Amino acid sequence: MKTKNLIALEGNQAIALAMKQINPDVVAAYPITPQTEIVQVFSEYVANGEVHTEFVTVESEHSALSACIGASAAGARTMTATSSQGLALMWEMLYIASGARLPIVMTVVNRALSSPINIHCDHSDAMGARDSGWVQLWSETAQEAYDNLIQAIRIAESVNLPVMVNMDGFITSHAEEVIEPLDDEEVKHFVGEYRPLRSLLDIEHPFTVGPLALQDSYFEFKRSQAEAYKRVIPVLKRVADEFSKITGRKYDLFETYNLDDAEIGLVVLNSTAGTAKEVIDVLRGEGKKVGLLKPRLFRPLPVEELREALSKLKVIGVMDRADTFGGFGGPLFTDIRSILYDVPNRPIVTDYIYGLGGRDVTTEQIFKVFENLENIYNTGKVESLVSYVGVRE
Amino acid sequence: MVDIKTYDNDQIPAWCPGCGNFSILKSLKQALAELDIPPDRVLMVSGIGQAAKAPHYFRCNLFNGLHGRDISVAVGAKIANHNLIVIAESGDGNTYGEGGNHFIHNIRRNVNIKVFVHNNQIYGLTKGQASPTSDLGMKTKVQIDGVLSPPFNPIAVAIALNASFVARSFSGEPEHLVAMMKSAITHKGFALLDILQPCVTFNRINTFKWYKDRVYKLDDSYDPTDRISAFEKALEWGDRIPIGVIYVNNRPTYEEQLSQLKDSPLFKIPITGIDYSDILKEFR
Ligand SMILES: Cc1ncc(C[n+]2csc(CCOP(=O)(O)OP(=O)(O)O)c2C)c(N)n1
Ligand code: SF4
Ligand SMILES: [Mg+2]
């Protein structure tokens, strides 16, 4: 066993390091808080000649993703990063990237959307892009974000779909954490050389990206795109297996914590899962059968696997760091609830919308959620399927 | 009587000590006071950035939107209520970069709004990356080997698009700045005022002294209605930088050309008392 190489890095620095080790052909990006440091640190690597990347600074995120799309269609391994309004501005291009089946990899440092303006964490940015056809990976810690980004390259290029790696703005992006990076050589070997199926610069085999497809063919394009997502799950598992062989760190579609014998479960994305684990430790100490499921892959949604993992619970609380205004609870909630619809003795599923605009998420809030879930467990009665925690009303 | 205090509110500007933005803030309050315009007639619209914080420090109507999009919001508000004095105030990155498209097409449209740009030749709020107006070769934390693209020239672009009013001033010349703001506000038509604004924290090249050593005021012998000489002035950048009203073109405003707006602002036109039964029939 080789000695561990541990270093203290902020989440953004860990992402920039992963990008350096991946050494993409093209990066096009535009600064936005809390992503800015990724671009800044990466541009140092470029200036120092530590990567061979063409780094393109542009005038907006729309242009950033457009440049990435052009580069990727021309056969380059392409990456970018953004947050919040930046992702919102990319919206129309997100669909071009997925529809044209371009394996671009993007870090999204999750931040609330305007209005009113706010620079802190919630998941409304990525959830707004939920249906855009980008594979979504989520990360509890800087280590996970780093590991996810490296694996994302392999996943994207195996299935020809763009992948977005999410981590919490400020909480993960700006907090220093001890991480264990891979060696440069290991990453180089792991991601391998990118061999695009076809590329615009291959003059022997000219091809067209995105031409007109009307009533007679558009639907078939979209139907075949829908099929592509089925390959993501086996590919992700295979890539995770290989990754664990070199790092010892195991990844899957989701992580479970004390879930096997649990009767009450919590489902939550990203950094809040860490806080929830602490609460679960305390409750377990009191003999309570509580557990956690933290999705890693949210799009495509691993329906069968999630159903399998959650169906034996009696009560499930979903915590959503985004709202679907005018809808029925948060985006994670509606998915989890509908996955369980066909399960005999299906669990009761309730939603807790929390932490919008960076509102602090305390262990007390999570204890309250469990208290509420325990009440439901004891009485079978649900007062409110969707509620808001940690807000003044 | 409106005085400069009329526009004060209780917010404390979140700018670095010595920032060029302070004098712009004060000058605009001064200009509005000297023109005796009460705050309820003023709408300030801004995008995102250090400059775009300015409207937060005014007691008047305020709309704070998205990075680069303030001009479009200002246009919408002006068309709905052309009695308002609408000022879009933001930075160079906001207005010339992310919002460049809106800048171009609203100059053509000639809506009577005022666009005041705090031009510090840098992205201040995101901590010092090159903006569209950064000089060629300027080194930043992102443009480590220096800026590769020649700078955007807002004055020349505006003149090329036949802008109705184009001026430049400097935050280190408050008297001049107040005069330019007053001219822009009283001008009928789209008015661009590009304000040279030192960013003392992130732009160590274009400092107060750098601008002070270079700016000179256009005098009475200069005729701003002559487009060719305006172009010449627009291209002057380097050892000498002209400030003043550079170009004026009194062409009809967008609002003047809309018959719906002739008698009263849109928001005052009642929607009751209109017979639309004929139109409804079509949908029966
Ligand atoms: C769509 C979008 N992209 C990026 C940002 C991040 N951002 C905020 S202000 C800014 C640039 C500010 O530069 P400038 O407009 O010149 O204003 P200054 O801070 O220099 O006054 C950027 C890139 C944002 N708010 N929205
Ligand atoms: S960073 Fe620059 S523009 Fe922003 S407040 Fe400080 S000096 Fe002014
Ligand atoms: Mg600026």
Side-chain angles (χ1 to χ4, degrees):
Chain A
M1 196 77 191
K2 73 178 178 46
T3 48
K4 281 187 175 179
N5 163 31
L6 297 175
I7 46 173
L9 288 180
E10 292 172 18
N12 278 341
Q13 296 167 338
I15 290 292
L17 174 63
M19 287 172 73
K20 176 188 108 171
Q21 296 176 316
I22 292 164
N23 195 4
D25 303 311
V26 175
V27 168
Y30 187 76
I32 183 165
T33 310
Q35 156 268 32
T36 306
E37 209 188 1
I38 297 178
V39 179
Q40 227 146 263
V41 177
F42 187 73
S43 58
E44 275 169 41
Y45 294 135
V46 176
N48 297 343
E50 293 175 74
V51 287
H52 76 234
T53 309
E54 283 296 328
F55 177 58
V56 195
T57 55
V58 285
E59 67 289 337
S60 81
E61 289 82 357
H62 195 281
S63 321
L65 189 53
S66 298
C68 288
I69 285 169
S72 182
R77 180 175 274 163
T78 307
M79 301 182 79
T80 185
T82 194
S83 288
S84 179
Q85 299 310 131
L87 184 62
L89 187 56
M90 285 179 176
W91 198 80
E92 67 174 353
M93 304 315 296
L94 292 175
Y95 283 75
I96 307 287
S98 61
R101 306 288 306 272
L102 301 172
I104 300 165
V105 173
M106 161 158 66
T107 303
V108 177
V109 186
N110 301 114
R111 158 182 157 184
L113 290 173
S114 287
S115 162
I117 182 179
N118 178 296
I119 55 170
H120 293 282
C121 175
D122 72 33
H123 300 158
S124 49
D125 52 5
M127 289 303 173
R130 182 190 65 177
D131 302 338
S132 65
W134 282 60
V135 173
Q136 288 197 357
L137 297 177
W138 293 74
S139 333
E140 178 185 329
T141 59
Q143 179 76 64
E144 286 187 15
Y146 169 91
D147 292 347
N148 277 343
L149 199 66
I150 292 168
Q151 293 173 70
I153 296 284
R154 287 282 303 280
I155 298 169
E157 290 169 6
S158 306
V159 295
N160 284 301
L161 286 169
V163 180
M164 161 187 314
V165 173
N166 294 280
M167 72 170 170
D168 283 346
F170 289 105
I171 302 162
T172 311
S173 67
H174 284 60
E176 202 166 87
E177 195 183 299
V178 175
I179 78 154
E180 188 189 355
L182 281 73
D183 297 338
D184 292 357
E185 274 307 308
E186 282 174 329
V187 177
K188 188 174 169 194
H189 186 250
F190 185 79
V191 297
E193 201 178 316
Y194 175 42
R195 289 204 176 75
L197 279 181
R198 43 180 192 266
S199 80
L200 287 176
L201 298 183
D202 177 0
I203 48 172
E204 304 283 310
H205 307 95
F207 86 115
T208 310
V209 182
L212 188 69
L214 296 179
Q215 299 94 319
D216 61 343
S217 58
Y218 179 88
F219 202 172
E220 281 70 28
F221 276 109
K222 290 292 131 180
R223 180 65 190 86
S224 73
Q225 186 183 336
E227 207 55 27
Y229 295 88
K230 290 191 184 149
R231 288 190 49 222
V232 174
I233 290 172
V235 165
L236 177 145
K237 281 177 170 282
R238 200 183 68 225
V239 171
D241 262 1
E242 262 183 61
F243 191 79
S244 92
K245 282 195 190 107
I246 52 171
T247 61
R249 294 193 288 274
K250 291 200 166 36
Y251 286 95
D252 207 331
L253 305 168
F254 44 77
E255 180 195 328
T256 58
Y257 188 74
N258 283 314
L259 200 69
D260 289 347
D261 66 336
E263 298 190 305
I264 298 176
L266 196 71
V267 181
V268 67
L269 291 163
N270 274 15
S271 66
T272 307
T275 320
K277 285 174 190 167
E278 282 180 38
V279 172
I280 287 168
D281 288 344
V282 174
L283 294 174
R284 279 274 166 180
E286 295 168 9
K288 305 211 157 121
K289 291 197 165 168
V290 293
L292 171 87
L293 184 145
K294 177 188 78 182
R296 172 173 180 245
L297 178 70
F298 179 59
R299 279 296 177 272
L301 194 68
V303 173
E304 304 293 333
E305 295 80 357
L306 283 170
R307 183 186 292 135
E308 169 81 25
L310 295 170
S311 57
K312 288 197 192 63
L313 292 160
K314 299 283 183 298
V315 183
I316 297 170
V318 177
M319 290 183 74
D320 267 298
R321 206 165 193 162
D323 204 346
T324 59
F325 300 100
F328 179 31
L332 193 54
F333 167 70
T334 44
D335 277 349
I336 298 293
R337 204 171 145 86
S338 101
I339 282 173
L340 295 167
Y341 184 79
D342 298 315
V343 170
N345 307 318
R346 62 171 171 263
I348 298 174
V349 187
T350 55
D351 192 23
Y352 304 86
I353 293 173
Y354 77 99
L356 300 191
R359 176 61 52 87
D360 234 0
V361 190
T362 60
T363 48
E364 287 87 77
Q365 284 171 19
I366 299 174
F367 276 116
K368 275 248 165 65
V369 168
F370 273 113
E371 210 180 286
N372 190 258
L373 294 169
E374 204 181 343
N375 262 333
I376 295 171
Y377 177 83
N378 289 334
T379 62
K381 283 202 193 80
V382 181
E383 243 168 59
S384 164
L385 275 172
V386 180
S387 46
Y388 294 81
V389 297
V391 67
R392 294 186 297 275
E393 301 210 49
Chain B
M1 257 310 275
V2 178
D3 73 27
I4 183 163
K5 291 221 162 45
T6 315
Y7 277 91
D8 285 347
N9 67 11
D10 59 359
Q11 299 291 308
I12 297 162
W15 287 323
C16 311
C19 172
N21 283 332
F22 286 100
S23 114
I24 303 177
L25 177 67
K26 192 162 170 225
S27 298
L28 184 51
K29 290 181 181 178
Q30 182 77 34
L32 290 164
E34 286 181 19
L35 293 170
D36 204 22
I37 300 170
D40 61 326
R41 279 205 55 213
V42 179
L43 169 65
M44 308 235 346
V45 184
S46 74
I48 303 291
Q50 294 287 21
K53 290 177 185 170
H56 291 93
Y57 314 130
F58 275 83
R59 196 172 66 86
C60 66
N61 303 298
L62 155 67
F63 187 102
N64 187 206
L66 295 174
H67 185 54
R69 312 297 160 191
D70 45 324
I71 291 183
S72 301
V73 175
V75 163
K78 183 71 182 178
I79 289 170
N81 183 358
H82 61 259
N83 287 347
L84 279 176
I85 290 166
V86 181
I87 302 172
E89 189 157 355
S90 288
D92 43 320
N94 178 96
T95 307
Y96 305 143
E98 188 116 29
N101 207 10
H102 311 304
F103 177 72
I104 289 172
H105 295 287
N106 287 302
I107 290 178
R108 292 177 51 231
R109 203 169 274 131
N110 200 26
V111 180
N112 184 7
I113 59 166
K114 315 300 147 191
V115 176
F116 292 174
V117 184
H118 303 206
N119 184 355
N120 53 13
Q121 302 185 256
I122 200 92
Y123 292 165
L125 191 70
T126 44
K127 304 198 172 131
Q129 305 80 19
S131 86
T133 52
S134 298
D135 286 326
L136 204 58
M138 180 195 240
K139 293 190 167 145
T140 77
K141 275 175 272 175
V142 169
Q143 286 79 12
I144 291 173
D145 295 326
V147 172
L148 296 174
S149 316
F152 181 83
N153 183 332
I155 307 285
V157 170
I159 297 167
L161 293 164
N162 241 323
S164 192
F165 178 100
V166 184
R168 182 193 281 134
S169 189
F170 167 41
S171 79
E173 293 272 3
E175 260 173 55
H176 184 266
L177 181 56
V178 171
M180 287 302 110
M181 287 172 161
K182 285 165 70 179
S183 302
I185 292 168
T186 49
H187 176 83
K188 193 154 62 72
F190 185 102
L192 167 68
L193 176 58
D194 183 73
I195 307 163
L196 304 173
Q197 175 244 320
C199 165
V200 296
T201 305
F202 295 112
N203 189 335
R204 300 297 169 87
I205 294 170
N206 311 101
T207 58
F208 266 107
K209 182 170 181 333
W210 191 93
Y211 290 119
K212 198 112 211 160
D213 290 347
R214 286 167 175 77
V215 298
Y216 74 94
K217 292 174 196 147
L218 293 171
D219 61 23
D220 290 346
S221 67
Y222 176 73
D223 173 12
T225 62
D226 176 358
R227 197 163 175 214
I228 298 298
S229 44
F231 262 122
E232 269 174 30
K233 286 293 159 204
L235 300 182
E236 251 182 64
W237 182 270
D239 291 343
R240 279 168 64 74
I241 301 171
I243 57 173
V245 178
I246 297 176
Y247 184 56
V248 175
N249 174 351
N250 286 306
R251 60 187 175 100
T253 64
Y254 183 75
E255 305 91 289
E256 280 171 336
Q257 299 174 71
L258 292 182
S259 59
Q260 305 92 305
L261 300 179
K262 281 250 158 64
D263 301 327
S264 105
L266 272 189
F267 86 104
K268 281 201 172 157
I269 301 173
I271 40 173
T272 50
I274 299 172
D275 181 12
Y276 38 79
S277 49
D278 273 1
I279 301 171
L280 279 182
K281 262 183 226 149
E282 279 181 41
F283 295 96
R284 288 248 155 82

